[in-house]
Amino acid sequence: MRIEDVRQHPTTPLTSPAYAPTVPRFTDREYLNVVYRTDPDALRAVVPEPLQIGEPLVRFEVMKMGDVSGFGPYTEAGQAIQVLFEGERGEYLHAMYLDNFPATASGREVSAYPKVLGSPRLYVDHGALVGTLDHGTLRVATATMGYKHRALDMDTARDQITVPTFMLKSVPGYHRHMRVQELVRTQITDVVVKKAYTGPARLQLFAHVLAPLADLPVREVVSASHILTDLTLAPVEPVFDYLKGYAQ
């Protein structure tokens, strides 16, 4: 294979890529969001500067992807922390767990999503919307919300989905130094909200050394939402370079 041909293959393995070279479109992406108040000291231990913490709020989310071009259906769960960057309010994506390897590899390599493999589920059980996350054979999170108790304003739902998000992109080199270490920003703009509801909710997190969601403990559940959307993820843009001026 010629050098110019190698350059046309952006993923590994070279001849059997881990994910399709396409921009995925999400159809019928279903969210369960539970926003809760946590320990400010716990947030300060995990949120990287120059992001700033205001109110100590975390959003636990479970997303059921009904149809995704290039990946197929899958489910994802994680934590997003409310932050400030240069006066702009947004969320720092702290952890994401999903049951689809191509989406995991693409999220980490093409963008900066902090994705690892896990076993999340989203389903309805006797009048409750239930979101769970397992790591291996152990339960690490259980969220419940009253199923379609009250309609949620569509604009409010859209604002929840399209909040700016920040992530840490780290690419190690071959000799114990970093090749890339950047804070990046993205924001979903191509979104259609189909349905949106709110209602009472509860959230339990269980300690696990490899899935430490409980390190951001639940002090108070603030709000919850159940949203159905179509959307396309926007590309990320670097906003801060941790290695600038650093002699490697």
Side-chain angles (χ1 to χ4, degrees):
M1 186 180 292
R2 296 174 300 174
I3 290 176
E4 54 265 34
D5 295 327
V6 172
R7 289 174 178 155
Q8 303 305 312
H9 293 261
T11 71
T12 55
L14 182 63
T15 59
S16 56
Y19 50 88
T22 183
V23 177
R25 176 67 177 174
F26 294 78
T27 303
D28 290 337
R29 182 174 184 168
E30 186 178 10
Y31 287 83
L32 168 59
N33 299 305
V34 179
V35 177
Y36 69 93
R37 197 178 312 278
T38 191
D39 184 345
D41 290 335
L43 290 186
R44 281 189 282 269
V46 298
V47 174
E49 293 181 337
L51 295 177
Q52 296 178 316
I53 300 166
E55 200 171 357
L57 297 178
V58 181
R59 180 170 59 87
F60 174 76
E61 62 181 3
V62 182
M63 296 174 287
K64 187 175 183 179
M65 320 299 184
D67 179 35
V68 189
S69 55
F71 300 140
Y74 66 95
T75 308
E76 184 170 331
Q79 289 170 311
I81 300 168
Q82 291 194 13
V83 294
L84 291 167
F85 178 73
E86 296 182 346
E88 180 181 48
R89 293 188 179 277
E91 291 182 334
Y92 171 64
L93 298 186
H94 175 56
M96 307 177 85
Y97 302 84
L98 55 160
D99 56 5
N100 181 298
F101 178 73
T104 302
S106 174
R108 292 168 63 106
E109 294 177 16
V110 177
S111 297
Y113 293 96
K115 297 188 176 189
V116 296
L117 292 174
S119 300
R121 289 187 64 204
L122 182 63
Y123 60 97
V124 179
D125 184 12
H126 294 283
L129 182 65
V130 180
T132 62
L133 174 61
D134 292 348
H135 189 281
T137 61
L138 299 179
R139 178 62 44 87
V140 293
T142 300
T144 55
M145 173 184 163
Y147 185 69
K148 296 186 177 181
H149 277 209
R150 300 188 302 276
L152 179 65
D153 177 76
M154 290 293 193
D155 289 336
T156 300
R158 186 175 294 104
D159 290 344
Q160 290 183 14
I161 301 304
T162 59
V163 63
T165 55
F166 299 91
M167 298 167 281
L168 183 64
K169 175 75 170 185
S170 293
V171 179
Y174 299 109
H175 302 288
R176 297 181 180 274
H177 65 267
M178 300 304 299
R179 299 179 67 184
V180 176
Q181 196 162 52
E182 298 171 332
L183 184 70
V184 302
R185 178 192 182 278
T186 187
Q187 185 172 13
I188 296 170
T189 56
D190 182 15
V191 59
V192 177
V193 177
K194 295 179 173 180
K195 299 177 182 179
Y197 302 92
T198 187
R202 300 291 185 271
L203 175 62
Q204 292 176 288
L205 303 177
F206 307 94
H208 193 298
V209 66
L210 299 182
L213 284 78
D215 287 3
L216 304 180
V218 179
R219 300 298 188 219
E220 175 192 11
V221 171
V222 175
S223 64
S225 60
H226 176 203
I227 303 171
L228 185 68
T229 71
D230 296 344
L231 58 86
T232 304
L233 297 179
V236 301
E237 299 291 340
V239 294
F240 184 83
D241 187 348
Y242 290 89
L243 302 181
K244 188 175 182 179
Y246 175 71
Q248 299 184 28

